[in-house]
Amino acid sequence: MIKFPLQVTPPFDPHALFSRLSFTGNRPSLIAADTERQRLIRTVRVGPKALPLIIDFGGTVDAPLASLSIPEEATPNERDQLLEIASHMVSADIDLSQMYNHFADNDRLHSLFARLRGSKLFLDPDPFECLVRTIICQQLNLSFAGTLIERLARLAGEEYVIDNRSMLAFPTAEAIATLSVEQLRKVSFSQRKAEYVIDAARLVVDGGIDFAKLAAMPDEEAIAQLIRYRGIGRWTAECLLIFGFGRPDLLPSADIGLRNGLRKMYGLSTQPSASEVEAFGKSWSPWRTYITFYLWESLRL
DNA sequence: GGCCAGGCTAGCA
DNA sequence: TGCTAGCATGGC
């Protein structure tokens, strides 16, 4: 492996990222997290090719250090893409100090920010993986969703050894598109979830879903395009824009985690409805994604 | 054992 | 347009 520095805008605290990974049902076969060494290991796709990468963290919250290790045989083009993907995954360019300053006189948000200072979203390396992961997560506890994601990867993804670990590459759309509903049923997917995942892969393969085009659209236009497809509702489209594209200002108002987080922050006796969430979140632009993320995070503190 | 889980669809009024 | 039963399985 050959190592390159990875610039990450401070403040940045990688500890939050590690504890969050297990909380959200990640399996080490997909993303290995070595908390002691502050090291993340996984494979990502550059085109159809799966390439391993290792991200190491260090430094301090206000002067973070990060590095990216990739295979020596990577071409210059692959190297550039891997650097871009790694930077995207750790939300390197996000400047949290702007958000902290923007809401400096909001007491509730201020204390939320103080407890989670430096927490950044950890994004999926590519939108297809994000879409499939999100569909699997629909209406399931995250732990079981993580199990299903690993089983899907075992059925259709390649196996690799990285850093002396046996790892799985997240499958390509082409590989998932060739699976049968029965194969997924056998590993505890529901009938519908199996259909949604395979249908999504086929849509990506045949160009019905074009991530390059979606990436160029404003949030609402992209959501409108995506929810035309069976199995992709508003929440799924919003999560794709958040975790796939890193869009900063989405409020997934139907999300259970967000509603529970709001309930906790405001000490509400019942879970707020989606329209109440909208009302709460009205003043959070242009940082609604990150405030949503901080409310998710607040649930495990 | 029962309720819930970082929803979505189809069917109905 | 708005509402809701049903989905399916595992975690707690």
Side-chain angles (χ1 to χ4, degrees):
Chain A
M1 303 285 272
I2 180 168
K3 192 183 274 195
F4 299 92
L6 196 59
Q7 304 298 331
V8 182
T9 305
F12 173 60
D13 183 359
H15 293 96
L17 192 160
F18 285 93
S19 53
R20 180 170 176 74
L21 263 182
S22 59
F23 177 77
T24 52
N26 173 62
R27 292 293 180 276
S29 56
L30 275 302
I31 305 171
D34 185 333
T35 310
E36 299 259 316
R37 295 160 77 187
Q38 291 200 62
R39 162 172 280 200
L40 286 177
I41 305 158
R42 66 160 297 164
T43 65
V44 302
R45 300 273 173 196
V46 176
K49 196 167 166 184
L51 291 169
L53 57 78
I54 299 176
I55 303 176
D56 286 298
F57 299 102
T60 64
V61 174
D62 292 297
L65 293 171
S67 66
L68 173 68
S69 300
I70 63 172
E72 284 168 36
E73 59 271 24
T75 66
N77 179 47
E78 287 170 345
R79 181 198 62 200
D80 290 347
Q81 291 201 51
L82 288 170
L83 274 163
E84 195 173 318
I85 290 168
S87 173
H88 164 81
M89 283 168 61
V90 301
S91 304
D93 294 338
I94 293 288
D95 183 357
L96 292 171
S97 65
Q98 288 187 14
M99 176 174 72
Y100 299 158
N101 292 334
H102 192 273
F103 299 100
D105 46 8
N106 182 318
D107 289 343
R108 281 203 168 84
L109 289 182
H110 184 75
S111 81
L112 190 63
F113 295 157
R115 277 186 298 160
L116 292 160
R117 185 160 186 280
S119 294
K120 289 191 178 188
L121 277 162
F122 185 58
L123 306 181
D124 289 312
D126 73 78
F128 173 69
E129 174 173 338
C130 181
L131 178 61
V132 172
R133 281 177 175 275
T134 305
I135 289 171
I136 291 174
C137 285
Q138 290 169 0
Q139 184 59 17
L140 289 182
N141 66 71
L142 293 175
S143 169
F144 179 49
T147 301
L148 294 182
I149 290 165
E150 183 180 42
R151 288 175 182 171
L152 174 67
R154 219 165 273 291
L155 276 178
E158 309 92 306
E159 209 164 320
Y160 285 87
V161 175
I162 318 169
D163 198 31
N164 297 316
R165 297 156 195 268
S166 176
M167 309 261 323
L168 291 166
F170 193 86
T172 60
E174 286 75 10
I176 294 179
T178 63
L179 293 177
S180 66
V181 169
E182 291 70 32
Q183 278 176 287
L184 292 180
R185 291 286 287 148
K186 276 184 193 158
V187 293
S188 298
F189 278 64
S190 67
Q191 178 73 23
R192 282 187 187 171
K193 210 176 278 294
E195 291 170 5
Y196 296 167
V197 165
I198 293 168
D199 286 352
R202 289 179 181 164
L203 276 165
V204 170
V205 170
D206 70 24
I209 293 180
D210 183 336
F211 292 117
K213 283 185 186 163
L214 290 168
M217 292 178 192
D219 295 340
E220 283 305 324
E221 193 181 335
I223 290 169
Q225 289 294 313
L226 285 161
I227 64 176
R228 294 180 302 162
Y229 300 110
R230 184 168 174 271
I232 303 178
R234 188 176 178 90
W235 177 87
T236 302
E238 288 167 335
C239 285
L240 174 63
L241 293 179
I242 291 173
F243 291 105
F245 294 147
R247 298 280 177 97
D249 196 29
L250 285 146
L251 183 75
S253 54
D255 181 83
I256 293 288
L258 173 57
R259 292 164 68 190
N260 287 334
L262 267 174
R263 178 178 177 179
K264 188 175 170 185
M265 181 162 82
Y266 286 92
L268 307 173
S269 56
T270 58
Q271 198 177 62
S273 67
S275 59
E276 288 169 320
V277 174
E278 293 281 353
F280 278 117
K282 217 171 184 177
S283 62
W284 297 347
S285 281
W287 289 96
R288 289 187 296 179
T289 295
Y290 259 88
I291 293 177
T292 297
F293 169 56
Y294 274 50
L295 285 166
W296 281 332
E297 285 290 85
S298 75
L299 290 175
R300 58 177 192 81
L301 290 182

